[in-house]
Amino acid sequence: MLFRSEVIAAKPAVMVGSSLVALCNAISPLMQANGPVQYCLSPGIHPDAGSYTFTSSTSTTDLAIALVRYFRLKGWTRIATMTSTDASGQDAENNLKNVVAMPENKGVEIVEAGHFNTTDVSVAAQIERIKAAKPQVLIAWSTGAPIATIFRGLVQAGVDIPVATTDGNMTYAQMNQYAEFLPKQLYIPAAQWEMGYSPSVKLPAAEAAKQKEFYDAFKAAGLQPDVASELAWDPAMILIDSLRKLGPGATAAQVRDHIAKLKGFVGVNGTYDFTKTTQRGLDIDNVVVTRWSASAKHWEVMSKPTGIPLQ
């Protein structure tokens, strides 16, 4: 209630955040009467069409579709999952169940579905059950420290299969910190922002130019962008573009209506069309599957957009 009174009293047209699924979901209902526009920096929420809430990057549903498609086309059809019991994990589990049930994924099965609390210090029992199910791949969906618990557990249990995780873990800090126990094959489905690392996959010229602008800006600052940079970059550019066109006195309703009709806006994650994909502007065509390269120290693109393997 305090949050709502403070925000409403300030009468902003837009509000950026949160970056957490649970907080974005908690804030979103407070924005529905007359704003402000909320631009959530987590792709794990699914706002109602026409609402005052917009969300960053590609949907976790589309990430799951591309990832399972990639695995299926590689011949990996026996999948184990390990999801946390928080909002992000529940969203992932629901997505994966629905994706595996899609007609195109006939023959794909989840052979074991493990669960854990983000505060657990060991997942040994869950990993033993996964090991016994003999999966070809494991999808471990949690972010931050909990994913390290899973990675360590896999090493300790001697499980050496391809592992996939959420793009919430696409940070250089994590890759460096977990280097000693990262899976040898670590796949991450993500929006197309990192395609600049893979010249074999060509982007339209306008999108390639936006990615160059993105990388050059961070290079000039002595930084290397990762997922946190990507999640905030395009929303900021969209909001700035909207306010420039509408003027500083724009109301929340005007900003919402402007973004809802926006299409052809080029960002680092692709060309946005909010009339096609409401509240987000991106879809499965903007998703690629990546794999962490310990030698190159970045994520290599392994698929075409939509998750079709490059080879």
Side-chain angles (χ1 to χ4, degrees):
M1 189 62 95
L2 178 61
F3 166 83
R4 178 173 173 77
S5 63
E6 289 177 342
V7 170
I8 297 303
K11 297 182 180 180
V14 300
M15 185 194 75
V16 180
S18 165
S19 60
L20 300 175
V21 171
L23 285 180
C24 282
N25 281 333
I27 293 170
S28 183
L30 305 178
M31 305 292 106
Q32 297 317 308
N34 52 16
V37 167
Q38 175 198 15
Y39 217 126
C40 174
L41 299 185
S42 170
I45 70 166
H46 310 282
D48 294 333
S51 71
Y52 278 88
T53 298
F54 294 87
T55 187
S56 177
S57 196
T58 49
S59 167
T60 50
T61 301
D62 287 333
L63 296 181
I65 291 172
L67 181 63
V68 173
R69 178 177 292 152
Y70 180 85
F71 285 164
R72 173 175 56 81
L73 294 176
K74 295 288 285 187
W76 302 333
T77 57
R78 292 177 56 81
I79 299 174
T81 63
M82 176 83 82
T83 54
S84 51
T85 55
D86 60 3
S88 296
Q90 292 173 33
D91 174 69
E93 183 171 32
N94 290 334
N95 282 332
L96 290 167
K97 285 180 179 178
N98 292 335
V99 170
V100 168
M102 291 170 61
E104 74 168 67
N105 292 322
K106 183 179 181 180
V108 177
E109 60 177 327
I110 297 177
V111 296
E112 176 66 25
H115 305 89
F116 70 102
N117 295 316
T118 56
T119 55
D120 289 347
V121 296
S122 173
V123 290
Q126 295 96 316
I127 288 176
E128 285 302 319
R129 288 195 293 272
I130 287 172
K131 187 176 180 180
K134 301 186 185 324
Q136 293 169 293
V137 293
L138 168 66
I139 300 175
W141 208 274
S142 188
T143 57
I147 201 67
T149 302
I150 296 177
F151 291 165
R152 285 196 190 95
L154 292 171
V155 171
Q156 292 167 356
V159 177
D160 183 13
I161 58 176
V163 177
T165 191
T166 165
D167 63 345
N169 294 311
M170 285 182 98
T171 71
Y172 291 103
Q174 284 178 274
M175 297 299 102
N176 293 331
Q177 184 178 353
Y178 306 159
E180 292 185 1
F181 51 87
L182 282 177
K184 294 177 182 176
Q185 296 185 68
L186 179 59
Y187 292 90
I188 302 181
Q192 67 184 45
W193 64 273
E194 71 297 300
M195 288 178 73
Y197 285 133
S198 300
S200 59
V201 184
K202 299 298 182 183
L203 286 171
E207 294 178 12
K210 286 294 181 180
Q211 287 203 355
K212 184 178 186 305
E213 179 183 321
F214 172 71
Y215 282 104
D216 286 350
F218 280 88
K219 184 177 181 180
L223 301 172
Q224 194 170 16
D226 55 21
V227 70
S229 313
E230 169 261 327
L231 289 173
W233 185 273
D234 279 351
M237 294 300 177
I238 289 169
L239 289 172
I240 290 169
D241 178 76
S242 299
L243 292 173
R244 280 177 175 168
K245 290 178 178 175
L246 296 171
T251 65
Q254 289 173 324
V255 174
R256 177 194 62 176
D257 293 346
H258 176 80
I259 298 176
K261 297 173 184 176
L262 186 64
K263 58 182 179 180
F265 183 92
V266 181
V268 299
N269 281 328
T271 300
Y272 286 74
D273 186 348
F274 287 89
T275 67
K276 178 184 177 184
T277 310
T278 62
Q279 316 309 121
R280 190 181 299 275
L282 301 173
D283 60 19
I284 186 67
D285 291 331
N286 306 105
V287 179
V288 293
V289 176
T290 74
R291 186 175 66 191
W292 173 250
S293 171
S295 57
K297 299 294 183 185
H298 63 71
W299 299 274
E300 297 180 333
V301 176
M302 305 302 294
S303 81
K304 302 174 185 178
T306 75
I308 298 173
L310 289 177
Q311 48 180 294

